[in-house]
Amino acid sequence: MNATLPILSIDGISKRFAGPYSLTRRLQGRPPLAVQALRDVTLEIHRGETLGIVGESGCGKSTLARCLVRLHEPDGGAIRFEGEDIARLRGGDRRAFNRRVQMIFQDPYGSLNPRMTVSQILGEALSVHKMRPKAEIPHRIAELLELVRLPQDAAARYPHEFSGGQRQRIGIARALAVEPEVIVADELVSALDVSVQAQVVNLLLQLQEQLHLTVVFVAHDLRLVRHISHRVAVMYLGQVVEVSTSEALFTAPRHPYSKALLDAAPELDPSRRSRTVAARGELPSPLDVPPGCAFASRCPHAFDRCRVERPLLTPRGLGQLAACHLEDFGAAPAQ
Ligand SMILES: Nc1ncnc2c1ncn2[C@@H]1O[C@H](COP(=O)(O)OP(=O)(O)O)[C@@H](O)[C@H]1O
Ligand code: SF4
Ligand SMILES: [Mg+2]
């Protein structure tokens, strides 16, 4: 296997959803508007890294995460897993992909069957992919509970008997049952209290190291992303506008939107949480994406070219990539 080949490469994917079909459009005989959820997203994910994906609500993070595990099919572009286009995988290759790339969902209430005990939930995951002979399943369940630091008596209990943080641990154990190589965690801890968030994120961090997992960590909360990610992709209105190492992003962001997000990020101390929005002005509608740079209507550095020409993701030294016409926006006067 080629050690330098990204485990997953996302190559110019786009995804549209049918938008609301207004009466006016119906009467005019026009088709419904389309929501541009992803627009030409290109991104590499390397084996063993944690890649954070951040951006305001509605910018396409979940759509991208769902495309990675084939819950959505992109309209254009391709996603390759170890070089193979995942849309073309069939039979055993497709089943192997479904096992090797696992998603953990935000809502542990919705994703765990309330009528099944933890033992049944984990047992089901183990049998679907024939991970262990039947006789070894109880032992493997015990191992999985230990891995996610849940007590052994959790096996006989039902999801509603656990706290939100514990339920997320069950979700992690279920994903790990099939021994995946990639975990896609979409807002894994967003619904949890801040103190519990840190525990679950620390657990994921330890498991990532221990099991050499590749993790795609989707979150709108920058503090968590900084703590857990090696690299971070910043999304805005369906596009990736910056990719940087976590360190570089937080010390020297290369896109004005990343800077605005950082400036608005809540303090670590919850009592000092900022209420600042990420950028002035309204987020444009994904039903009507402006030409040129999608951030132009909110960017303090926007100039004429920004409104007509779309900036492409280009290298910015130190392994950073940014989609902005200004190489050094810090040096540019705010308009
Ligand atoms: N199944 C869907 N049908 C229609 N629109 C959708 C669907 N899923 C997402 N969208 C729209 O796509 C855009 C991106 O959504 P999403 O990927 O959920 O963003 P995020 O996870 O960053 O909040 C939003 O405008 C959202 O309303
Ligand atoms: S391309 Fe222009 S509008 Fe877009 S982020 Fe850069 S300076 Fe701002
Ligand atoms: Mg989401």
Side-chain angles (χ1 to χ4, degrees):
M1 196 192 315
N2 183 348
T4 57
L5 187 71
I7 187 162
L8 277 162
S9 45
I10 302 162
D11 191 3
I13 65 163
S14 305
K15 179 74 188 169
R16 280 180 303 276
F17 294 108
Y21 200 3
S22 69
L23 186 61
T24 322
R25 288 187 80 83
R26 274 173 211 266
L27 293 174
Q28 290 169 342
R30 290 158 68 197
L33 286 165
V35 177
Q36 299 275 345
L38 295 177
R39 297 181 299 129
D40 197 15
V41 169
T42 294
L43 197 58
E44 290 187 343
I45 303 168
H46 303 291
R47 188 178 283 280
E49 77 169 343
T50 298
L51 176 77
I53 298 184
V54 294
E56 281 166 289
S57 176
C59 69
K61 304 182 297 296
S62 294
T63 305
L64 177 59
R66 294 170 81 87
C67 286
L68 286 176
V69 294
R70 293 200 61 175
L71 284 172
H72 286 322
E73 294 294 331
D75 306 317
I79 298 178
R80 294 192 176 77
F81 181 64
E82 293 182 333
E84 300 276 343
D85 183 344
I86 65 171
R88 293 168 191 265
L89 297 175
R90 298 283 177 268
D93 290 342
R94 176 144 187 193
R95 281 193 296 280
F97 173 79
N98 291 346
R99 181 188 69 72
R100 293 170 73 190
V101 183
Q102 289 288 310
M103 180 140 175
I104 315 178
F105 295 90
Q106 170 181 4
D107 173 19
Y109 298 84
S111 67
L112 299 173
N113 186 335
R115 283 179 294 277
M116 284 165 81
T117 62
V118 170
S119 167
Q120 287 167 331
I121 290 169
L122 298 179
E124 184 185 60
L126 289 165
S127 13
V128 166
H129 286 282
K130 302 189 177 60
M131 298 306 294
R132 291 286 189 283
K134 216 169 172 201
E136 286 177 29
I137 286 183
H139 176 66
R140 180 60 179 153
I141 290 174
E143 270 179 4
L144 286 166
L145 291 176
E146 203 177 310
L147 210 52
V148 299
R149 324 250 196 288
L150 279 174
Q152 290 299 321
D153 63 10
R157 288 152 58 195
Y158 290 88
H160 72 264
E161 297 177 54
F162 296 90
S163 67
Q166 287 172 324
R167 265 195 290 261
Q168 275 310 38
R169 286 169 195 261
I170 301 168
I172 296 173
R174 180 177 58 181
L176 294 179
V178 299
E179 297 166 32
E181 287 150 65
V182 183
I183 294 273
V184 180
D186 187 6
E187 305 277 6
L188 178 70
V189 296
S190 304
L192 305 176
D193 288 344
V194 174
S195 58
V196 185
Q197 283 184 344
Q199 291 167 16
V200 178
V201 166
N202 284 333
L203 171 69
L204 192 66
L205 205 60
Q206 287 164 17
L207 291 170
Q208 190 261 337
E209 279 183 21
Q210 189 181 343
L211 305 172
H212 310 291
L213 296 167
T214 305
V215 177
V216 180
F217 188 83
V218 177
H220 63 272
D221 188 337
L222 279 164
R223 297 164 310 144
L224 294 170
V225 172
R226 178 178 196 170
H227 183 55
I228 197 168
S229 310
H230 300 109
R231 290 190 310 139
V232 180
V234 180
M235 289 188 68
Y236 185 76
L237 215 62
Q239 284 178 317
V240 172
V241 294
E242 175 163 354
V243 185
S244 286
T245 61
S246 195
E247 182 64 26
L249 177 71
F250 286 90
T251 50
R254 302 305 297 261
H255 193 281
Y257 176 63
S258 311
K259 171 84 168 60
L261 262 189
L262 291 176
D263 290 347
E267 297 273 348
L268 275 168
D269 174 357
S271 64
R272 295 177 56 201
R273 284 188 149 201
S274 154
R275 290 261 156 255
T276 327
V277 291
R280 62 178 188 172
E282 288 286 304
L283 186 70
S285 165
L287 289 166
D288 186 18
V289 178
C293 174
F295 191 53
S297 61
R298 303 168 87 190
C299 180
H301 309 288
F303 55 106
D304 292 348
R305 184 179 167 200
C306 305
R307 295 183 186 90
V308 287
E309 188 186 328
R310 202 187 116 194
L312 301 175
L313 211 51
T314 43
R316 286 294 148 80
L318 297 173
Q320 287 176 276
L321 296 167
C324 174
H325 291 310
L326 292 173
E327 211 156 293
D328 179 6
F329 70 85
Q335 305 279 306

